[in-house]
Amino acid sequence: MREVTPAAARRIAVRAQLLDGTATDVLSTVRRLGFLQLDPISTVAPPQHLVLWSRLGERYDPAELDRLLWEERQLVEWNAFLWPAEDLPLLRARMRRRDRPLDLRLIAYLKENASYRRYVLRELERRGPLLSREIDDHAAHRREAHRWWGERKMGLMLGVLNARGEVAVVGRRGKQRLWDLAERWYGETERVPWAEAKRAFEEKQLRALGVQLRKGKLVAHPDAVDDPIPKKRVTFLSPFDRLVHDRERALALWDFFYRLEMYVPKAKREYGYYVLPILEGDRVVGRIEPVHDRKAGTLRVLGTWWEGRPRPVSKPLASLARWLGASLE
């Protein structure tokens, strides 16, 4: 670990996140980043795809991600993230952890609903893989209205079982997840203690970020490379992109305050509903709000906001539109 200047930290962070143009393929990119976050909001494109487009450009084919997940199984979906399959021993240690109040609540939920849990696991063992709606109600489970999980609460049970490593997401039909027993999908893995897995995750995170903010100081991974970043490379970042995800770190690196405002009431938004940071070289230079209208087949821009002087963005906009298969308005 070494302290670095903000200028060096910017270069290191951009290069560590493969936003310097050196990304070559989907699998190696995900391995370098450590994970991809999933989210249902796709005003432009789902965040996992937008993160990869930012690095690979138009040559990124979303079908490649599905192939790596469901055919080759070199990636796995867990807890609303996509992970390299070689991290499964570490992930399974995280699934078993008991050091947080959340873990204890999940364990208590499964104990309180033991018969429901056994029923779901039996159904998956007998008939899986299954969609949530393909699992009938458990005879002893009483339906109750719930804002998030519906009356059946099948999604809640499957989510808890997934969090604790008993069931796995093994595919998708459209946007719906297919569930099966984790042991059938994951197979045998090395058993790693959580303390060891935690250290490994922390090291992977620092390597992927390149730089972290600790006690007001910017510190870099020992292996971080501080080479110049091509200044002509301009791209847009997903709101979930790890380059800007940490607000304090983004402020320290670029004096750039960023938040996703889709949960902010419209009258109180400073910018827009789904605004993407603009990265030029190693500088975050502004924000843009593109909207992909899938029915009309168009990509239009609702607004741009600059940190200083405006920059030309016609090239990355055209690239984004071609990748989406949309015409640019």
Side-chain angles (χ1 to χ4, degrees), residues 115 182 186 199 229 231:
S115 63
Y186 297 152
R199 288 193 297 271
I229 304 298
K231 292 183 179 180

Side-chain angles (χ1 to χ4, degrees), residues 54-303:
S54 296
R55 289 152 176 82
L56 295 164
E58 295 172 57
R59 69 182 186 275
Y60 167 58
D61 180 1
E64 174 73 0
L65 197 62
D66 286 339
R67 183 176 64 80
L68 291 168
L69 275 163
W70 315 126
E71 296 178 24
E72 296 188 9
R73 300 193 191 184
Q74 297 200 64
L75 300 175
V76 294
E77 178 179 337
W78 179 70
N79 202 29
F81 290 85
L82 305 182
W83 309 82
E86 59 266 25
D87 284 350
L88 261 173
L90 306 180
L91 289 173
R92 301 198 83 171
R94 179 175 281 183
M95 296 171 192
R96 295 190 301 268
R97 66 187 294 189
R98 294 169 173 261
D99 60 337
R100 302 171 301 170
L102 174 61
D103 304 321
L104 301 180
R105 290 198 297 271
L106 297 181
I107 292 168
Y109 174 84
L110 292 176
K111 287 182 178 178
E112 291 164 6
N113 296 273
S115 63
Y116 191 18
R117 167 185 168 272
R118 288 194 297 270
Y119 165 73
V120 171
L121 293 176
R122 281 198 304 268
E123 287 296 289
L124 289 175
E125 181 179 20
R126 186 169 63 91
R127 300 192 294 119
L130 297 169
L131 300 174
S132 172
R133 66 172 182 264
E134 293 174 331
I135 306 176
D136 295 332
D137 281 0
H138 179 221
H141 188 74
R142 182 165 52 90
R143 286 196 177 204
E144 296 175 333
H146 193 283
R147 179 183 177 187
W148 294 107
W149 303 108
E151 292 184 351
R152 299 177 67 219
K153 299 190 184 66
M154 185 62 69
L156 174 60
M157 176 56 75
L158 288 167
V160 174
L161 289 171
N162 180 233
R164 298 304 299 172
E166 295 192 66
V167 305
V169 181
V170 303
R172 285 183 179 263
R173 291 184 197 160
K175 294 183 179 180
Q176 301 298 308
R177 289 172 292 185
L178 270 171
W179 301 92
D180 205 349
L181 298 180
E183 62 192 33
R184 288 206 288 233
W185 187 252
Y186 297 152
E188 291 294 324
T189 61
E190 176 190 2
R191 191 175 181 89
V192 177
W194 169 236
E196 180 182 334
K198 184 179 180 181
R199 288 193 297 271
F201 276 125
E202 289 171 350
E203 198 281 334
K204 285 173 176 285
Q205 181 183 37
L206 178 55
R207 185 180 293 274
L209 292 174
V211 172
Q212 285 184 336
L213 183 64
R214 295 184 177 178
K215 298 182 179 180
K217 296 180 179 180
L218 291 163
V219 294
H221 189 280
D223 299 336
V225 177
D226 179 15
D227 286 343
I229 304 298
K231 292 183 179 180
K232 291 183 179 180
R233 188 173 196 274
V234 181
T235 193
F236 310 135
L237 305 177
S238 162
F240 299 92
D241 200 295
R242 255 38 196 184
L243 188 71
V244 292
H245 188 265
D246 185 322
R247 293 180 187 176
E248 291 187 6
R249 179 175 177 267
L251 276 170
L253 289 174
W254 297 286
D255 193 25
F256 180 79
F257 178 79
Y258 178 71
R259 66 173 177 171
L260 183 57
E261 294 186 299
M262 65 183 183
Y263 300 117
V264 177
K266 187 174 182 179
K268 295 184 178 181
R269 289 176 194 150
E270 187 175 1
Y271 301 104
Y273 177 81
Y274 204 80
V275 172
L276 312 182
I278 303 171
L279 180 70
E280 179 188 59
D282 61 5
R283 295 278 183 168
V284 177
V285 297
R287 309 158 206 256
I288 188 167
E289 187 177 13
V291 175
H292 180 205
D293 187 331
R294 290 163 178 80
K295 289 184 178 179
T298 61
L299 181 70
R300 67 181 186 276
V301 176
L302 301 186

